[in-house]
Amino acid sequence: SAYETITTFEFIFVLHLEKEIMEITYLLCQALQRQSQDILNALRLVASTKLLLQKMKDERWDSFLAHVKSFCLEHNIDIPDLSSSYFSKGARAHNEHIDYTLEHHYRVDIFIEAINYQLMELDHRFNDSSMELLHLSTTLDPKSVDEPFRSGDVCQLVEKFYPADFNETEINLLKVQL
């Protein structure tokens, strides 16, 4: 039973999809686990990971499907007719009437949905506000001693993210000191 399951097209499809997504997100995951992380590098990795996932979603369906089919042919795994109608499985399946093909199911319900989930997770963890906070905080990074000091970023950091910690007088004094 286990062998029959792991030698199905759907299992192989999902496994290859997970592998592709993990290859794209690997560098970001490794960078975020390091103790001493260059914040600017992490910001670039988040942006490039999102870009690569979006590119995979928009442009790589055909090549991905061809790769999965090639793997299945090489290992004598049956490839279903993707132009045939898709029938949902499970308890709700008897009450549902779904009028789309197997290819639609694999492309939209699995491929695009998995990538969208990854993009949504990255957007949730690295939203605009947290990305701005990280970017502004790079000014305080001692590693950037060779770069020109961005006093405006420090002031913006204080005003936007730490308003309860500084009163108006302290903010003005900080601007003068910087």
Side-chain angles (χ1 to χ4, degrees), residues 10-52:
E10 185 162 343
F11 184 84
I12 300 301
F13 182 91
V14 170
L15 209 57
H16 275 82
L17 181 58
E18 287 179 11
K19 178 184 172 282
E20 294 276 331
I21 289 172
M22 289 176 84
E23 285 174 352
I24 291 172
T25 59
Y26 177 77
L27 285 177
L28 176 62
C29 291
Q30 292 301 309
L32 294 175
Q33 291 177 24
R34 273 189 236 127
Q35 291 289 331
S36 59
Q37 176 57 44
D38 175 14
I39 296 170
L40 278 176
N41 186 43
L43 291 172
R44 285 188 211 105
L45 283 171
V46 169
S48 66
T49 300
K50 286 180 178 181
L51 185 67
L52 288 171

Side-chain angles (χ1 to χ4, degrees), residues 54-71:
Q54 188 65 47
K55 189 172 183 172
M56 179 181 178
K57 178 179 143 184
D58 295 341
E59 301 173 9
R60 295 203 31 228
W61 164 251
D62 292 328
S63 62
F64 174 77
L65 184 59
H67 179 71
V68 172
K69 285 180 175 180
S70 171
F71 181 91

Side-chain angles (χ1 to χ4, degrees), residues 34-177:
R34 273 189 236 127
Q35 291 289 331
S36 59
Q37 176 57 44
D38 175 14
I39 296 170
L40 278 176
N41 186 43
L43 291 172
R44 285 188 211 105
L45 283 171
V46 169
S48 66
T49 300
K50 286 180 178 181
L51 185 67
L52 288 171
L53 285 169
Q54 188 65 47
K55 189 172 183 172
M56 179 181 178
K57 178 179 143 184
D58 295 341
E59 301 173 9
R60 295 203 31 228
W61 164 251
D62 292 328
S63 62
F64 174 77
L65 184 59
H67 179 71
V68 172
K69 285 180 175 180
S70 171
F71 181 91
C72 289
L73 288 172
E74 187 179 319
H75 294 88
N76 297 319
I77 296 169
D78 292 334
I79 301 170
D81 177 11
L82 297 179
S83 62
S84 65
S85 293
Y86 170 72
F87 297 101
S88 160
K89 299 174 188 167
R92 294 186 344 195
H94 301 296
N95 301 331
E96 291 180 9
H97 176 68
I98 299 173
D99 193 25
Y100 56 79
T101 64
L102 270 175
E103 181 172 359
H104 177 89
H105 167 67
Y106 284 110
R107 183 176 191 165
V108 175
D109 296 343
I110 300 175
F111 183 79
I112 291 176
E113 188 65 27
I115 296 170
N116 280 343
Y117 182 81
Q118 293 298 314
L119 288 168
M120 182 182 70
E121 187 68 23
L122 285 171
D123 285 340
H124 175 72
R125 292 184 186 275
F126 301 99
N127 60 34
D128 291 340
S129 182
S130 63
M131 293 293 278
E132 183 180 13
L133 174 63
L134 287 171
H135 177 72
L136 292 172
S137 67
T138 60
T139 301
L140 306 173
D141 186 1
K143 293 178 192 171
S144 62
V145 73
D146 297 335
E147 298 174 22
F149 185 70
R150 301 182 318 258
S151 61
D153 285 357
V154 175
C155 293
Q156 190 176 356
L157 185 64
V158 166
E159 291 170 356
K160 189 164 187 175
F161 294 99
Y162 300 98
D165 297 330
F166 294 86
N167 62 36
E168 197 64 36
T169 306
E170 291 172 324
I171 291 173
N172 288 330
L173 182 61
L174 180 65
K175 287 178 183 178
V176 170
Q177 288 174 341

